[in-house]
Amino acid sequence: MRTSSSQDKAGIDPIPAALAALREAVDALGFIDADSPEAARYLHDWTGDYAGGALAVLRPSSVAEVQEIVRLCARHRVPLIPRGGNSGLVSGSIMTGEPRAVLVSLERLNRIRSVDAGNFTLAADAGAVLQTVKEAAEAADMLFPLALGAQGSCQIGGNVSTNAGGINVLRYGMMRDLVLGIEAVLPDGTLFDGMHGLRKDNRGYDLKQLLIGAEGTLGIVTGVEVRLFPRPANVETAYLGLGSFADAMALFGMARRVCSDLLTAFEVIGAECIPLALLVDPDTRVPLDGAWPVHVIMELSCSGAVDMRSLVETLFAEAHEAGALGDGALAQSRAQAKAFWAIRENLVEGQARRGRHVRTDLSVRLSKVAEAVERSRAYIGSAWPGWEPLAYGHAGDGNIHFNVMPPKNMADDAIRQNGVVMLDGLYDIVHDLGGSFSAEHGVGRSRRSVYWEWLSADERVIVRAIKSALDPNGIMNPGVLIPE
Ligand SMILES: Cc1cc2nc3c(=O)[nH]c(=O)nc-3n(C[C@H](O)[C@H](O)[C@H](O)COP(=O)(O)OP(=O)(O)OC[C@H]3O[C@@H](n4cnc5c(N)ncnc54)[C@H](O)[C@@H]3O)c2cc1C
């Protein structure tokens, strides 16, 4: 039986009427009852850390169906949770507690709409999987540079809504820098058509920018137009061994200058992460002589005939002389480059296999990266005996994932409770260094309290004003970003 809070003034529960109308609004494949076995896969996140409920799962097959769903939800005041590929790491599309929202999955809106080679743009439905978008760009001999571990499942609409980052931000920017157009259904069902594909367009407020990174709180993105780039014909990938994070950041500064600003990726991996990659692939071989405390995967790329190998060799010589570089290997083939990258990808999967742990997504100014890692390690070492810190990430963007594995056999509840206290300590360090607790994963529900705490009173007023201007009834993904 439903609580009285869901009953209208006449004491009638509006939910059954809303669900009946929603069932009518979509085709036969578009409505999944919440208690059917098919719904189960929508009700937990990728990590398994978050599980929730929904009144129903809706899978619209057209933009018109999305509009009708939103109109009906607005009329009946039923909250909606937009759902992309479910790879988000901050509980943005999982709502715990009594089910009171419908989940709207974009998975059936998955067409590549067009590739405009002359304009270097691609337009797709929001539910197109990132990997499919990348392949469509490649088929037209171009590059869509967004690259992240979840690219086989995350959707381009989810990437827009979280303002995704990944390994190529260094050269091409975050998703915000890659989006030229957005189509979205706003919280009253209105269609916002901003699929202009223009690089320059100063006609007043740029509404699409509000939707980027909004995590489904201001509307449902249904279409996206992105920038494409010439496909790099020339790629050099290096795997390096260094003495410390400070050396890695010194090398990064040198690499940007010496390599004609052709760096596309600069990933740093603390050596303590390597056993996690081995969990996924026991044949993993680190291409270094000796045991180095910090590893770097560095990639340069360009579309023309630049002699990048000699740039890298010059860098190696200078870095050796400066004492910043220990050992290094340059990939001699694409297969070897792929093997280097597999170490980085597998260590993320390896953490998931180890089970629940404490995750962060910190960013600081480049000059503070080494200090952030050292202070975080010292904090865990002194305050959390038996816990194992892991540091890796997109160091060229100042973004470190400083994660902490619990002592073996600790119960999930204890990990969760300790994690809350531990995160406070880690966030204090990053706050003290003038950084951010969320470099690329967003806020969702799991980082909402720290987000709200760090905002000034004036900023909170502005955030609430934006939300209520577009979503006065608060039906779009309630509980994400803003406390209810
Ligand atoms: C192995 C792994 C590696 C990862 N690596 C990175 C990385 O390097 N960089 C990075 O930035 N992230 C990374 N992530 C996080 C995640 O992949 C990104 O946040 C991704 O952009 C989420 O897209 P999604 O389609 O899976 O969205 P979902 O998880 O389904 O949703 C995320 C949020 O966006 C909202 N949303 C989704 N689709 C829409 C839509 N069409 N309209 C409105 N709102 C919508 C949801 O309500 C939710 O709040 C990683 C995740 C995993 C599992």
Side-chain angles (χ1 to χ4, degrees), residues 53-79:
L55 294 169
V57 177
L58 300 167
R59 304 190 315 146
S61 63
S62 66
V63 174
E65 282 188 5
V66 179
Q67 280 188 275
E68 187 55 14
I69 289 169
V70 177
R71 269 191 219 112
L72 287 167
C73 286
R75 186 179 311 149
H76 293 277
R77 301 283 195 271
V78 172

PDB file of all heavy atoms in Angstrom, residues 53-79:
ATOM      1  N   GLY A  53      14.909   1.346  -6.812  1.00  0.00           N
ATOM      2  CA  GLY A  53      13.648   0.857  -7.368  1.00  0.00           C
ATOM      3  C   GLY A  53      13.092   1.874  -8.350  1.00  0.00           C
ATOM      4  O   GLY A  53      13.605   2.983  -8.471  1.00  0.00           O
ATOM      5  N   ALA A  54      12.041   1.482  -9.058  1.00  0.00           N
ATOM      6  CA  ALA A  54      11.376   2.403  -9.994  1.00  0.00           C
ATOM      7  C   ALA A  54       9.918   1.968 -10.098  1.00  0.00           C
ATOM      8  O   ALA A  54       9.587   0.809  -9.816  1.00  0.00           O
ATOM      9  CB  ALA A  54      12.043   2.350 -11.359  1.00  0.00           C
ATOM     10  N   LEU A  55       9.060   2.887 -10.514  1.00  0.00           N
ATOM     11  CA  LEU A  55       7.649   2.530 -10.706  1.00  0.00           C
ATOM     12  C   LEU A  55       7.482   1.701 -11.974  1.00  0.00           C
ATOM     13  O   LEU A  55       6.585   0.861 -12.066  1.00  0.00           O
ATOM     14  CB  LEU A  55       6.807   3.808 -10.822  1.00  0.00           C
ATOM     15  CG  LEU A  55       6.734   4.680  -9.554  1.00  0.00           C
ATOM     16  CD1 LEU A  55       6.103   6.018  -9.882  1.00  0.00           C
ATOM     17  CD2 LEU A  55       5.969   3.948  -8.458  1.00  0.00           C
ATOM     18  N   ALA A  56       8.342   1.974 -12.960  1.00  0.00           N
ATOM     19  CA  ALA A  56       8.338   1.228 -14.224  1.00  0.00           C
ATOM     20  C   ALA A  56       9.579   1.654 -14.988  1.00  0.00           C
ATOM     21  O   ALA A  56      10.179   2.683 -14.677  1.00  0.00           O
ATOM     22  CB  ALA A  56       7.094   1.572 -15.052  1.00  0.00           C
ATOM     23  N   VAL A  57       9.960   0.843 -15.990  1.00  0.00           N
ATOM     24  CA  VAL A  57      11.059   1.243 -16.873  1.00  0.00           C
ATOM     25  C   VAL A  57      10.439   1.540 -18.234  1.00  0.00           C
ATOM     26  O   VAL A  57       9.710   0.709 -18.788  1.00  0.00           O
ATOM     27  CB  VAL A  57      12.107   0.115 -17.004  1.00  0.00           C
ATOM     28  CG1 VAL A  57      13.204   0.527 -17.975  1.00  0.00           C
ATOM     29  CG2 VAL A  57      12.688  -0.244 -15.633  1.00  0.00           C
ATOM     30  N   LEU A  58      10.721   2.741 -18.755  1.00  0.00           N
ATOM     31  CA  LEU A  58      10.187   3.125 -20.065  1.00  0.00           C
ATOM     32  C   LEU A  58      11.326   3.151 -21.068  1.00  0.00           C
ATOM     33  O   LEU A  58      12.416   3.636 -20.760  1.00  0.00           O
ATOM     34  CB  LEU A  58       9.539   4.508 -19.967  1.00  0.00           C
ATOM     35  CG  LEU A  58       8.381   4.568 -18.971  1.00  0.00           C
ATOM     36  CD1 LEU A  58       7.990   5.999 -18.676  1.00  0.00           C
ATOM     37  CD2 LEU A  58       7.185   3.804 -19.518  1.00  0.00           C
ATOM     38  N   ARG A  59      11.043   2.633 -22.261  1.00  0.00           N
ATOM     39  CA  ARG A  59      12.101   2.575 -23.280  1.00  0.00           C
ATOM     40  C   ARG A  59      11.550   3.169 -24.578  1.00  0.00           C
ATOM     41  O   ARG A  59      11.185   2.431 -25.506  1.00  0.00           O
ATOM     42  CB  ARG A  59      12.543   1.134 -23.496  1.00  0.00           C
ATOM     43  CG  ARG A  59      13.000   0.458 -22.178  1.00  0.00           C
ATOM     44  CD  ARG A  59      13.664  -0.861 -22.411  1.00  0.00           C
ATOM     45  NE  ARG A  59      12.940  -1.686 -23.355  1.00  0.00           N
ATOM     46  CZ  ARG A  59      13.499  -2.524 -24.210  1.00  0.00           C
ATOM     47  NH1 ARG A  59      14.808  -2.648 -24.246  1.00  0.00           N
ATOM     48  NH2 ARG A  59      12.772  -3.251 -25.030  1.00  0.00           N
ATOM     49  N   PRO A  60      11.448   4.499 -24.647  1.00  0.00           N
ATOM     50  CA  PRO A  60      10.853   5.132 -25.833  1.00  0.00           C
ATOM     51  C   PRO A  60      11.661   4.820 -27.094  1.00  0.00           C
ATOM     52  O   PRO A  60      12.872   4.622 -27.024  1.00  0.00           O
ATOM     53  CB  PRO A  60      10.923   6.626 -25.501  1.00  0.00           C
ATOM     54  CG  PRO A  60      11.983   6.747 -24.450  1.00  0.00           C
ATOM     55  CD  PRO A  60      11.934   5.478 -23.667  1.00  0.00           C
ATOM     56  N   SER A  61      10.947   4.777 -28.235  1.00  0.00           N
ATOM     57  CA  SER A  61      11.636   4.482 -29.493  1.00  0.00           C
ATOM     58  C   SER A  61      11.675   5.699 -30.407  1.00  0.00           C
ATOM     59  O   SER A  61      12.139   5.604 -31.535  1.00  0.00           O
ATOM     60  CB  SER A  61      10.935   3.323 -30.210  1.00  0.00           C
ATOM     61  OG  SER A  61       9.617   3.714 -30.532  1.00  0.00           O
ATOM     62  N   SER A  62      11.184   6.846 -29.943  1.00  0.00           N
ATOM     63  CA  SER A  62      11.253   8.064 -30.771  1.00  0.00           C
ATOM     64  C   SER A  62      11.280   9.276 -29.844  1.00  0.00           C
ATOM     65  O   SER A  62      10.896   9.181 -28.663  1.00  0.00           O
ATOM     66  CB  SER A  62      10.024   8.158 -31.683  1.00  0.00           C
ATOM     67  OG  SER A  62       8.862   8.351 -30.882  1.00  0.00           O
ATOM     68  N   VAL A  63      11.699  10.391 -30.418  1.00  0.00           N
ATOM     69  CA  VAL A  63      11.731  11.630 -29.629  1.00  0.00           C
ATOM     70  C   VAL A  63      10.301  12.018 -29.237  1.00  0.00           C
ATOM     71  O   VAL A  63      10.052  12.490 -28.122  1.00  0.00           O
ATOM     72  CB  VAL A  63      12.427  12.750 -30.442  1.00  0.00           C
ATOM     73  CG1 VAL A  63      12.352  14.079 -29.708  1.00  0.00           C
ATOM     74  CG2 VAL A  63      13.877  12.376 -30.719  1.00  0.00           C
ATOM     75  N   ALA A  64       9.361  11.770 -30.162  1.00  0.00           N
ATOM     76  CA  ALA A  64       7.954  12.094 -29.854  1.00  0.00           C
ATOM     77  C   ALA A  64       7.481  11.301 -28.635  1.00  0.00           C
ATOM     78  O   ALA A  64       6.749  11.824 -27.780  1.00  0.00           O
ATOM     79  CB  ALA A  64       7.075  11.800 -31.067  1.00  0.00           C
ATOM     80  N   GLU A  65       7.896  10.045 -28.532  1.00  0.00           N
ATOM     81  CA  GLU A  65       7.512   9.249 -27.345  1.00  0.00           C
ATOM     82  C   GLU A  65       8.146   9.822 -26.068  1.00  0.00           C
ATOM     83  O   GLU A  65       7.508   9.852 -25.018  1.00  0.00           O
ATOM     84  CB  GLU A  65       7.920   7.780 -27.527  1.00  0.00           C
ATOM     85  CG  GLU A  65       6.971   7.012 -28.437  1.00  0.00           C
ATOM     86  CD  GLU A  65       7.256   5.492 -28.482  1.00  0.00           C
ATOM     87  OE1 GLU A  65       8.136   4.995 -27.736  1.00  0.00           O
ATOM     88  OE2 GLU A  65       6.601   4.823 -29.282  1.00  0.00           O
ATOM     89  N   VAL A  66       9.399  10.281 -26.180  1.00  0.00           N
ATOM     90  CA  VAL A  66      10.031  10.885 -24.995  1.00  0.00           C
ATOM     91  C   VAL A  66       9.212  12.112 -24.571  1.00  0.00           C
ATOM     92  O   VAL A  66       8.916  12.299 -23.375  1.00  0.00           O
ATOM     93  CB  VAL A  66      11.501  11.306 -25.280  1.00  0.00           C
ATOM     94  CG1 VAL A  66      12.112  11.964 -24.035  1.00  0.00           C
ATOM     95  CG2 VAL A  66      12.345  10.115 -25.701  1.00  0.00           C
ATOM     96  N   GLN A  67       8.825  12.922 -25.563  1.00  0.00           N
ATOM     97  CA  GLN A  67       8.037  14.120 -25.227  1.00  0.00           C
ATOM     98  C   GLN A  67       6.728  13.763 -24.526  1.00  0.00           C
ATOM     99  O   GLN A  67       6.351  14.377 -23.539  1.00  0.00           O
ATOM    100  CB  GLN A  67       7.715  14.896 -26.511  1.00  0.00           C
ATOM    101  CG  GLN A  67       8.855  15.750 -27.008  1.00  0.00           C
ATOM    102  CD  GLN A  67       8.397  16.614 -28.155  1.00  0.00           C
ATOM    103  OE1 GLN A  67       8.407  16.164 -29.299  1.00  0.00           O
ATOM    104  NE2 GLN A  67       7.987  17.836 -27.864  1.00  0.00           N
ATOM    105  N   GLU A  68       6.056  12.736 -25.047  1.00  0.00           N
ATOM    106  CA  GLU A  68       4.773  12.351 -24.469  1.00  0.00           C
ATOM    107  C   GLU A  68       4.968  11.820 -23.030  1.00  0.00           C
ATOM    108  O   GLU A  68       4.182  12.138 -22.128  1.00  0.00           O
ATOM    109  CB  GLU A  68       4.102  11.294 -25.367  1.00  0.00           C
ATOM    110  CG  GLU A  68       2.685  10.923 -24.974  1.00  0.00           C
ATOM    111  CD  GLU A  68       1.712  12.114 -24.869  1.00  0.00           C
ATOM    112  OE1 GLU A  68       2.025  13.208 -25.350  1.00  0.00           O
ATOM    113  OE2 GLU A  68       0.637  11.929 -24.249  1.00  0.00           O
ATOM    114  N   ILE A  69       6.040  11.040 -22.834  1.00  0.00           N
ATOM    115  CA  ILE A  69       6.338  10.527 -21.481  1.00  0.00           C
ATOM    116  C   ILE A  69       6.536  11.696 -20.520  1.00  0.00           C
ATOM    117  O   ILE A  69       5.964  11.727 -19.419  1.00  0.00           O
ATOM    118  CB  ILE A  69       7.622   9.644 -21.508  1.00  0.00           C
ATOM    119  CG1 ILE A  69       7.344   8.323 -22.215  1.00  0.00           C
ATOM    120  CG2 ILE A  69       8.163   9.401 -20.102  1.00  0.00           C
ATOM    121  CD1 ILE A  69       8.595   7.504 -22.525  1.00  0.00           C
ATOM    122  N   VAL A  70       7.330  12.674 -20.948  1.00  0.00           N
ATOM    123  CA  VAL A  70       7.632  13.796 -20.040  1.00  0.00           C
ATOM    124  C   VAL A  70       6.368  14.617 -19.775  1.00  0.00           C
ATOM    125  O   VAL A  70       6.102  15.010 -18.634  1.00  0.00           O
ATOM    126  CB  VAL A  70       8.786  14.662 -20.601  1.00  0.00           C
ATOM    127  CG1 VAL A  70       9.042  15.858 -19.695  1.00  0.00           C
ATOM    128  CG2 VAL A  70      10.058  13.825 -20.739  1.00  0.00           C
ATOM    129  N   ARG A  71       5.562  14.837 -20.828  1.00  0.00           N
ATOM    130  CA  ARG A  71       4.305  15.594 -20.635  1.00  0.00           C
ATOM    131  C   ARG A  71       3.412  14.900 -19.606  1.00  0.00           C
ATOM    132  O   ARG A  71       2.869  15.523 -18.705  1.00  0.00           O
ATOM    133  CB  ARG A  71       3.537  15.675 -21.960  1.00  0.00           C
ATOM    134  CG  ARG A  71       3.906  16.901 -22.767  1.00  0.00           C
ATOM    135  CD  ARG A  71       2.924  17.069 -23.930  1.00  0.00           C
ATOM    136  NE  ARG A  71       3.666  17.520 -25.091  1.00  0.00           N
ATOM    137  CZ  ARG A  71       3.894  16.836 -26.195  1.00  0.00           C
ATOM    138  NH1 ARG A  71       3.410  15.602 -26.330  1.00  0.00           N
ATOM    139  NH2 ARG A  71       4.583  17.341 -27.183  1.00  0.00           N
ATOM    140  N   LEU A  72       3.295  13.575 -19.760  1.00  0.00           N
ATOM    141  CA  LEU A  72       2.432  12.820 -18.826  1.00  0.00           C
ATOM    142  C   LEU A  72       2.990  12.868 -17.406  1.00  0.00           C
ATOM    143  O   LEU A  72       2.248  13.042 -16.441  1.00  0.00           O
ATOM    144  CB  LEU A  72       2.302  11.363 -19.292  1.00  0.00           C
ATOM    145  CG  LEU A  72       1.417  11.150 -20.517  1.00  0.00           C
ATOM    146  CD1 LEU A  72       1.604   9.740 -21.085  1.00  0.00           C
ATOM    147  CD2 LEU A  72      -0.050  11.383 -20.157  1.00  0.00           C
ATOM    148  N   CYS A  73       4.306  12.719 -17.286  1.00  0.00           N
ATOM    149  CA  CYS A  73       4.910  12.766 -15.946  1.00  0.00           C
ATOM    150  C   CYS A  73       4.715  14.150 -15.331  1.00  0.00           C
ATOM    151  O   CYS A  73       4.459  14.262 -14.122  1.00  0.00           O
ATOM    152  CB  CYS A  73       6.394  12.405 -16.013  1.00  0.00           C
ATOM    153  SG  CYS A  73       6.644  10.637 -16.266  1.00  0.00           S
ATOM    154  N   ALA A  74       4.832  15.194 -16.155  1.00  0.00           N
ATOM    155  CA  ALA A  74       4.636  16.562 -15.639  1.00  0.00           C
ATOM    156  C   ALA A  74       3.190  16.716 -15.157  1.00  0.00           C
ATOM    157  O   ALA A  74       2.930  17.257 -14.080  1.00  0.00           O
ATOM    158  CB  ALA A  74       4.968  17.582 -16.715  1.00  0.00           C
ATOM    159  N   ARG A  75       2.246  16.194 -15.967  1.00  0.00           N
ATOM    160  CA  ARG A  75       0.828  16.334 -15.603  1.00  0.00           C
ATOM    161  C   ARG A  75       0.522  15.603 -14.294  1.00  0.00           C
ATOM    162  O   ARG A  75      -0.174  16.100 -13.432  1.00  0.00           O
ATOM    163  CB  ARG A  75      -0.042  15.778 -16.736  1.00  0.00           C
ATOM    164  CG  ARG A  75      -1.543  16.033 -16.499  1.00  0.00           C
ATOM    165  CD  ARG A  75      -2.392  15.483 -17.652  1.00  0.00           C
ATOM    166  NE  ARG A  75      -1.889  15.903 -18.953  1.00  0.00           N
ATOM    167  CZ  ARG A  75      -2.007  15.176 -20.073  1.00  0.00           C
ATOM    168  NH1 ARG A  75      -2.586  13.999 -20.046  1.00  0.00           N
ATOM    169  NH2 ARG A  75      -1.549  15.617 -21.212  1.00  0.00           N
ATOM    170  N   HIS A  76       1.074  14.403 -14.155  1.00  0.00           N
ATOM    171  CA  HIS A  76       0.773  13.580 -12.967  1.00  0.00           C
ATOM    172  C   HIS A  76       1.791  13.782 -11.844  1.00  0.00           C
ATOM    173  O   HIS A  76       1.705  13.109 -10.824  1.00  0.00           O
ATOM    174  CB  HIS A  76       0.732  12.097 -13.348  1.00  0.00           C
ATOM    175  CG  HIS A  76      -0.409  11.742 -14.262  1.00  0.00           C
ATOM    176  ND1 HIS A  76      -1.680  11.483 -13.805  1.00  0.00           N
ATOM    177  CD2 HIS A  76      -0.477  11.610 -15.609  1.00  0.00           C
ATOM    178  CE1 HIS A  76      -2.477  11.194 -14.830  1.00  0.00           C
ATOM    179  NE2 HIS A  76      -1.766  11.264 -15.938  1.00  0.00           N
ATOM    180  N   ARG A  77       2.763  14.684 -12.081  1.00  0.00           N
ATOM    181  CA  ARG A  77       3.823  14.959 -11.076  1.00  0.00           C
ATOM    182  C   ARG A  77       4.581  13.684 -10.691  1.00  0.00           C
ATOM    183  O   ARG A  77       4.858  13.434  -9.501  1.00  0.00           O
ATOM    184  CB  ARG A  77       3.241  15.580  -9.803  1.00  0.00           C
ATOM    185  CG  ARG A  77       2.504  16.864 -10.004  1.00  0.00           C
ATOM    186  CD  ARG A  77       3.492  18.014 -10.205  1.00  0.00           C
ATOM    187  NE  ARG A  77       2.844  19.297 -10.047  1.00  0.00           N
ATOM    188  CZ  ARG A  77       2.249  19.967 -11.046  1.00  0.00           C
ATOM    189  NH1 ARG A  77       2.245  19.460 -12.276  1.00  0.00           N
ATOM    190  NH2 ARG A  77       1.694  21.140 -10.821  1.00  0.00           N
ATOM    191  N   VAL A  78       4.877  12.876 -11.701  1.00  0.00           N
ATOM    192  CA  VAL A  78       5.661  11.660 -11.442  1.00  0.00           C
ATOM    193  C   VAL A  78       7.123  11.946 -11.813  1.00  0.00           C
ATOM    194  O   VAL A  78       7.408  12.339 -12.943  1.00  0.00           O
ATOM    195  CB  VAL A  78       5.138  10.478 -12.294  1.00  0.00           C
ATOM    196  CG1 VAL A  78       6.065   9.270 -12.176  1.00  0.00           C
ATOM    197  CG2 VAL A  78       3.740  10.093 -11.837  1.00  0.00           C
ATOM    198  N   PRO A  79       8.066  11.765 -10.901  1.00  0.00           N
ATOM    199  CA  PRO A  79       9.472  12.025 -11.232  1.00  0.00           C
ATOM    200  C   PRO A  79      10.016  11.063 -12.295  1.00  0.00           C
ATOM    201  O   PRO A  79       9.551   9.919 -12.404  1.00  0.00           O
ATOM    202  CB  PRO A  79      10.200  11.805  -9.900  1.00  0.00           C
ATOM    203  CG  PRO A  79       9.156  11.899  -8.855  1.00  0.00           C
ATOM    204  CD  PRO A  79       7.881  11.418  -9.483  1.00  0.00           C
TER     205      PRO A  79
END
